[in-house]
Amino acid sequence: MPATHNPVCKAAESLSLYIQQPPQTDNRDHPETRLMSELFYNAVPNATRVAPPLAEPRQYPSEKPSRVYLFGTCVVDLFYPEAGMDAIHLLEREGIRVEYPQGQSCCGQPAYTSGYTEQARTVARSQLALFAGDYPVVVPSGSCAGMLREHYADLFKDEPQTLKQVQALAERTYELAEFLLHVCKVQFKDSGEPIKVALHTSCSARREMNTHLHGRELLAQLGNVERVEHDHESECCGFGGTFSVRMPDISGAMVADKTRALKESGAHQVLSADCGCLMNINGSLEKQREALRGQHLASFLWQRTGGAA
């Protein structure tokens, strides 16, 4: 785009003129010059300066269901199977039957965020066929839950029939902590020793599912657990799926910042509801030969409330 048609470039050009030739009188007599507040206020369109309206609060069912699907995620399946099993234990303790379709794999997020739309659509389509029942889909990962709820609709926006199926799936998809808190309405009793923990929430889980709020509320029910704040809490750990492979130096710098903040927080343990982040953070801590480690929130909750250690 030519610079003369770019509002930001035009603003910079006007600012340069303003600095080099300051007006000698009120700028209203010199239309070629403007006040800085006016200049920057109009430098870009309103749509890029105004936050989008907040979504309506989610409406939760008044009673917990008798049956749910568990979407286990590929990272849980391959690297943290205990997190998936502990999620099942937590749900079954609430009297809920958990169905685990054996054909499930990835949600398609790595391909989607890397720009491979067709491949992501193929993966997503195969998952849709496995969760055809009308009962809730519970996901022990805020980022994968966000993919199902927020981004499948974009993948299938040009397929009306599939889009209806995707929208119905979105309505019944819940992140695990969200489901325990707002649908099961759990009231946990802590059976562990006093401990300080730091809660890390993945970027997409925070933005799309408010997972950090759900996790905080569940931890607040545990009398012997102190959640400590840490610097860089809302910042990315540097994983970002394929980002950590494509940009290893930047990713490494980000996880160095994250682990340093976690160590300085005084936490005895790190918790997260996203295993991709845990894999990255734990890998960095192990490389640094630090004793601090991260654990999935589901496993921590199960152990603290009477489950096997």
Side-chain angles (χ1 to χ4, degrees), residues 40-162:
F40 285 105
Y41 184 85
N42 294 304
V44 290
N46 281 353
T48 64
R49 294 186 297 103
V50 179
L54 293 174
E56 291 293 325
R58 189 171 192 181
Q59 299 299 311
Y60 294 101
S62 56
E63 297 183 2
K64 60 186 175 184
S66 60
R67 178 182 298 189
V68 300
Y69 287 119
L70 184 78
F71 184 80
T73 84
C74 50
V75 179
V76 168
D77 182 37
L78 295 174
F79 296 100
Y80 291 90
E82 70 280 1
M85 292 304 302
D86 291 334
I88 292 173
H89 294 326
L90 288 167
L91 293 167
E92 289 181 336
R93 188 167 63 186
E94 295 301 311
I96 298 173
R97 179 178 174 180
V98 180
E99 301 285 347
Y100 188 90
Q102 293 298 308
Q104 62 180 284
S105 59
C106 179
C107 66
Q109 186 183 59
Y112 178 75
T113 56
S114 297
Y116 296 102
T117 305
E118 284 303 320
Q119 291 85 344
R121 190 178 290 118
T122 299
V123 174
R125 201 185 307 278
S126 68
Q127 303 311 298
L128 284 174
L130 299 172
F131 299 92
D134 61 357
Y135 32 94
V137 178
V138 180
V139 191
S141 165
S143 59
C144 296
M147 181 66 187
L148 271 61
R149 272 185 57 85
E150 304 295 333
H151 302 297
Y152 271 19
D154 180 58
L155 281 176
F156 296 104
K157 60 187 177 184
D158 297 324
E159 299 182 26
Q161 288 304 117
T162 308

Side-chain angles (χ1 to χ4, degrees), residues 29-46:
D29 298 327
H30 297 264
E32 72 277 8
T33 60
R34 304 178 65 185
L35 295 174
M36 280 192 179
S37 59
E38 297 174 343
L39 184 66
F40 285 105
Y41 184 85
N42 294 304
V44 290
N46 281 353

Side-chain angles (χ1 to χ4, degrees), residues 210-284:
N210 281 331
T211 301
H212 61 302
L213 300 180
H214 307 138
R216 288 176 184 177
E217 289 193 49
L218 290 177
L219 291 174
Q221 295 181 11
L222 305 176
N224 285 333
V225 175
E226 177 186 352
R227 183 182 62 82
V228 297
E229 300 284 350
H230 58 284
D231 192 16
H232 294 74
E233 181 174 353
S234 63
E235 294 184 17
C236 179
C237 73
F239 178 59
T242 57
F243 169 80
S244 60
V245 179
R246 297 197 309 267
M247 304 287 185
D249 292 337
I250 299 174
S251 174
M254 293 170 73
V255 77
D257 286 343
K258 176 65 69 171
T259 54
R260 181 171 57 251
L262 289 168
K263 289 183 291 185
E264 291 174 352
S265 72
H268 304 132
Q269 191 170 1
V270 178
L271 302 177
S272 179
D274 280 86
C275 287
C277 298
L278 281 177
M279 187 166 58
N280 193 41
I281 291 170
N282 280 343
S284 179

